[in-house]
Amino acid sequence: MSRGIWDRETVALVLLGAIFPIAVTWLSVAGAEGLWRLVFFLVVAGIWHLVWMLARAQPPSFAGVLTALALALLAPQELGLPALVLSTSFGVVMAELAFGGWGRNVLNPAVVTLAFMGFGYPAAPWPELAVQIGWAALPAALIGMVFGVMAPGILLGAALAFGVAWLAGVDFTASYAAIAVVLVVLVAEPVASAATAPGRWLNGLLYGGLVTLFVVAWEGAAPVQLAVSAALFTSLAAPLFDEIAIGLWVLKRKKRHG
Amino acid sequence: MQVPGVWTQAWARGLSRGLDVPVANAPAPVEPAEIETRISEEAALLASAEDDLRIEPLVARGDSVAQGAPLFRFRRHPEVAITAPMAGMVAHLDLDLGHRLRRIALFHDDGAGRYRHDPGAAAQEPAALRRLLQDSGLWQAFRSRPFGRFPLPAEVPAALCVMVLDTRPGAADPRLAIAGGERAFEIGVRAISQLTEGPVLICQEAGAEVIARNILPRRVKILTVPRIHPQGLAGVQVHRHFPARPGAPVWDIGAEDVLAIGELLETGYLRQTRLVSVSGDALREGRLIRTQPWADLRGLCRGLLRPGPSAILSGSLLEGQEARWLRPGDRQVTARVRRERKEGAHWFRSALSRASRPLPLIPTAAADQALGGGVAAMPLLRALSSGDAETAIRLGVLSLLPEDLALADYVTCAQPALSALLAGLLERIEQEEVA
């Protein structure tokens, strides 16, 4: 009783629980083929976690399951086996394990993998997410916020940006599902996003802004592709947002306390 | 089951930020008159080699000492004395090489009487007050931030912080401790406000004001603090309202010690007891007890413990340490069931768990709340975990002490403990300051 529960693995498990609605809805749509994709990514990510555990004594993490699930949901289809193995290995090893495992990484391994697939195999078709998967993102976000593993600032900031864009006449109907799923599964993930309250709002706003920009100006982009690209740029900017938030806080305190 | 660290709890409390830590057998609130007074037969102060407490003893083994009589003076600061917490006989006085104190222990004997200090003009004159506090041992009731040492004899604080609430899990309400002594408390507040030119912050819960505002100097401010941990820690309040800096130290003191200063000024006698809360899952029931400083913790738990192995901590569940005697400054005792350690974890498991230190910290609502919301929690914890003194100072770490991070340790299961990292960091910063 003399310790709390919020260590790394608890957070990973609670995150998994939070995105459970998305996973279930997606599996009911994708069926056996989706399950096979999930198992494939689980095996590839799991093998790399095992290798790093044996070679570097780096404990494996349930966060690997998060990565696998995100990849099964969002990875381009009809990519050959070598391409899938290569890009997944790149993402998992270079974005997560090489930094010391989940919690020390700067970028989300799933985002890096997806970006690698997008740049490396531009001809591969991105998946079309069914509408109900997009709706499942709502309860997922709610669970994540209530249990404190997803920051309200990121989710509400993004929602705010989308609301403003929608009022300005931008049409999100075609891309809603992809945008919502990427927001909840990739952008709101606590490690690779901003960690201060104002930084999180900026983080969410930037994601919303970038998605809106891509929807309006990027012709021919698939919904998942533009959402993943926005997620990549957003998580690259996250440390900057934290730095801005800390700078403002220090300035405010200097003014008040001298 | 109560899950600490959930956003909804923070929302339910409005802007107040913190966490409820469940504690077994927290003492039920009682009327001040019903609180049992229990003076333990022995009392002792232990010091370790790291404390480096070099003293000049004023008594010898076997001497009879009155309650409040000086026992020893510090060699480095001969102005400051430590006094006897109860009337009795000096049972042990163990010194190491270089006059380092290892242990001083007393046997209780009421016949030795009480020692009267002469308050003189201390209520009006700051210099006389300093002398009186330093002679009576009440000087040690102050703690100076940054670095959390006892204030130097000539140090002048930039601000004072009086804590009239304690939000540690299972802690006794300091308002209960000073109930009935409002007059002495007021005298105490007036007196210590002479020690500084800066503000005197009195932190209390919402409700009736602990001291009438209109009779006090304008520098004395009464702050209302929500009753949720860690808001009742002096560090959190100092950080928010008057950050401590080297050269501009902030002292903090508990309400009951201010009351003791008031009583000393009024009567010349040192207060005999302090209110201590006894709680924990190894007890049959929790209880509030008035006892002397340095009290025997086993004596305090006598009649309350359940059979079976237990560990008695001086301090709360979060920051307490296993001890035999009540440590100076602590007002809480926690008796915890001692769980058997699993024998011989597999070598591979222990290799895995020991190889990657410090463990990564994942930002969650719980981690944010564990620092009270006034700090950018994750950047500060990450700076501590990576030993980045510059960023930590920028984020206000100099107002904090290890006890202020005990809740963050509890919540995040950080290894090595963040409070230990902070202790090391503060020591390093202090050495650099001196150099």
Side-chain angles (χ1 to χ4, degrees):
Chain A
M1 206 192 82
S2 59
R3 52 172 282 229
I5 56 171
W6 295 104
D7 64 354
R8 180 176 83 158
E9 292 313 300
T10 318
V11 179
L13 286 173
V14 174
L15 271 173
L16 270 177
I19 65 170
F20 193 67
I22 297 180
V24 170
T25 323
W26 167 74
L27 272 179
S28 71
V29 174
E33 199 225 322
L35 195 64
W36 276 115
R37 275 164 77 82
L38 180 57
V39 170
F40 169 79
F41 285 115
L42 276 174
V43 167
V44 177
I47 287 175
W48 281 115
H49 275 254
L50 269 178
V51 167
W52 282 74
M53 175 176 83
L54 296 171
R56 302 265 308 142
Q58 202 162 285
S61 163
F62 283 111
V65 183
L66 279 174
T67 310
L69 192 60
L71 290 177
L73 261 162
L74 301 169
Q77 274 150 349
E78 295 160 28
L79 216 55
L81 190 68
L84 279 180
V85 172
L86 183 67
S87 37
T88 311
S89 306
F90 176 79
V92 170
V93 172
M94 297 310 283
E96 182 183 351
L97 296 174
F99 283 91
W102 195 58
R104 297 199 177 89
N105 51 326
V106 218
L107 292 175
N108 186 317
V111 173
V112 173
T113 309
L114 292 169
F116 186 93
M117 289 169 176
F119 289 121
Y121 310 97
W126 291 89
E128 293 286 330
L129 292 186
V131 180
Q132 60 266 45
I133 304 177
W135 289 115
L138 278 180
L142 209 64
I143 297 173
M145 280 198 281
V146 166
F147 281 94
V149 290
M150 290 181 196
I154 296 176
L155 297 164
L156 298 180
L160 183 70
F162 290 134
V164 170
W166 184 68
L167 285 180
V170 182
D171 182 23
F172 289 113
T173 23
S175 47
Y176 164 74
I179 294 170
V181 167
V182 169
L183 171 64
V184 173
V185 178
L186 300 180
V187 179
E189 188 245 11
V191 172
S193 55
T196 52
R200 284 166 173 163
W201 279 91
L202 291 175
N203 198 331
L205 284 171
L206 180 69
Y207 173 69
L210 281 176
V211 166
T212 309
L213 182 71
F214 292 162
V215 166
V216 173
W218 188 352
E219 272 173 40
V224 172
Q225 186 180 15
L226 60 88
V228 166
S229 311
L232 178 67
F233 292 128
T234 310
S235 63
L236 284 173
L240 179 69
F241 292 145
D242 275 344
E243 207 47 49
I244 292 173
I246 292 171
L248 286 176
W249 183 80
V250 168
L251 215 67
K252 206 172 83 190
R253 264 168 83 86
K254 266 220 177 94
K255 229 180 233 167
R256 183 139 59 102
H257 301 295
Chain B
M1 193 189 112
Q2 206 179 10
V3 182
V6 173
W7 275 114
T8 42
Q9 279 180 21
W11 284 342
R13 292 165 189 280
L15 286 176
S16 71
R17 301 291 300 275
L19 292 168
D20 276 324
V21 178
V23 58
N25 292 318
V30 291
E31 289 299 312
E34 290 170 16
I35 300 173
E36 178 192 356
T37 301
R38 197 188 275 189
I39 301 288
S40 63
E41 281 308 305
E42 286 175 72
L45 175 70
L46 304 186
S48 65
E50 293 89 67
D51 295 337
D52 198 22
L53 216 57
R54 297 184 185 223
I55 63 159
E56 200 66 68
L58 304 173
V59 292
R61 190 175 166 190
D63 283 1
S64 177
V65 287
Q67 185 260 343
L71 292 175
F72 57 81
R73 290 181 174 275
F74 292 103
R75 285 198 125 189
R76 293 205 178 93
H77 308 292
E79 305 91 327
V80 185
I82 294 288
T83 52
M86 63 177 178
M89 191 190 80
V90 180
H92 300 280
L93 178 58
D94 301 344
L95 296 184
D96 273 343
L97 284 177
H99 285 236
R100 282 192 192 87
L101 178 70
R102 196 181 334 140
R103 168 174 68 161
I104 182 162
L106 304 177
F107 284 147
H108 184 218
D109 171 20
D110 259 338
R114 294 180 75 183
Y115 183 92
R116 187 167 187 280
H117 296 268
D118 179 21
Q124 291 86 36
E125 262 180 49
L129 178 67
R130 270 173 190 270
R131 217 158 37 239
L132 177 68
L133 293 179
Q134 287 164 6
D135 280 337
S136 66
L138 277 175
W139 191 253
Q140 309 290 313
F142 291 107
R143 203 170 35 166
S144 165
R145 292 158 198 265
F147 313 127
R149 311 237 180 258
F150 302 125
L152 297 176
E155 190 176 304
V156 177
L160 270 172
C161 183
V162 180
M163 297 309 292
V164 197
L165 87 162
D166 192 347
T167 52
R168 277 173 268 222
D173 184 0
R175 295 197 73 151
L176 206 56
I178 59 171
E182 284 80 5
R183 206 184 117 67
F185 181 71
E186 188 200 313
I187 295 175
V189 170
R190 276 172 181 283
I192 61 171
S193 63
Q194 306 172 66
L195 291 173
T196 172
E197 301 281 303
V200 178
L201 311 170
I202 299 181
C203 302
Q204 66 157 82
E205 264 181 79
E209 282 182 354
V210 69
I211 183 167
R213 204 187 279 258
N214 47 10
I215 55 164
L216 292 169
R218 288 177 64 91
R219 293 184 290 123
V220 181
K221 296 191 184 98
I222 298 182
L223 305 173
T224 309
V225 175
R227 186 177 172 76
I228 184 164
H229 201 55
Q231 301 291 342
L233 290 177
V236 173
Q237 299 306 327
V238 168
H239 182 276
R240 177 164 307 155
H241 296 289
F242 201 101
R245 288 190 306 260
V250 179
W251 296 0
D252 67 85
I253 185 169
E256 203 177 2
D257 292 322
V258 177
L259 173 72
I261 291 175
E263 283 185 357
L264 179 71
L265 287 170
E266 246 187 334
T267 63
Y269 289 112
L270 206 61
R271 191 176 168 81
Q272 285 176 295
T273 61
R274 59 170 56 178
L275 183 65
V276 172
S277 133
V278 186
S279 64
D281 56 355
L283 300 178
R284 281 189 289 103
E285 55 168 351
R287 194 169 288 182
L288 294 174
I289 298 176
R290 291 189 196 276
T291 188
Q292 82 271 42
W294 310 357
D296 183 358
L297 299 187
R298 289 187 222 169
L300 287 182
C301 295
R302 197 185 57 224
L304 298 174
L305 276 175
R306 278 197 310 218
S310 60
I312 302 180
L313 315 181
S314 173
S316 80
L317 188 67
L318 298 176
E319 90 289 342
Q321 279 174 13
E322 221 172 308
R324 170 80 203 277
W325 313 100
L326 191 64
R327 291 180 305 170
D330 280 343
R331 298 169 185 286
Q332 209 179 336
V333 179
T334 310
R336 205 172 60 184
V337 173
R338 192 191 291 280
R339 296 202 167 71
E340 297 296 323
R341 282 225 191 89
K342 269 185 219 138
E343 283 295 316
H346 192 266
W347 64 267
F348 190 69
R349 257 188 101 95
S350 46
L352 276 189
S353 64
R354 281 176 211 154
S356 54
R357 293 294 165 88
L359 292 183
L361 295 164
I362 313 289
T364 55
D368 284 346
Q369 289 168 33
L371 288 182
V375 205
M378 278 326 288
L380 178 62
L381 297 186
R382 281 177 176 159
L384 280 176
S385 159
S386 60
D388 178 359
E390 208 170 309
T391 307
I393 291 176
R394 206 165 143 235
L395 292 169
V397 84
L398 289 181
S399 302
L400 301 179
L401 293 182
E403 61 164 37
D404 301 317
L405 288 179
L407 182 60
D409 275 331
Y410 172 88
V411 162
T412 60
C413 318
Q415 277 177 347
L418 295 161
S419 42
L421 290 174
L422 175 63
L425 191 78
L426 286 178
E427 201 169 317
R428 221 174 70 210
I429 297 172
E430 195 179 10
Q431 275 166 3
E432 283 168 14
E433 283 295 326
V434 172

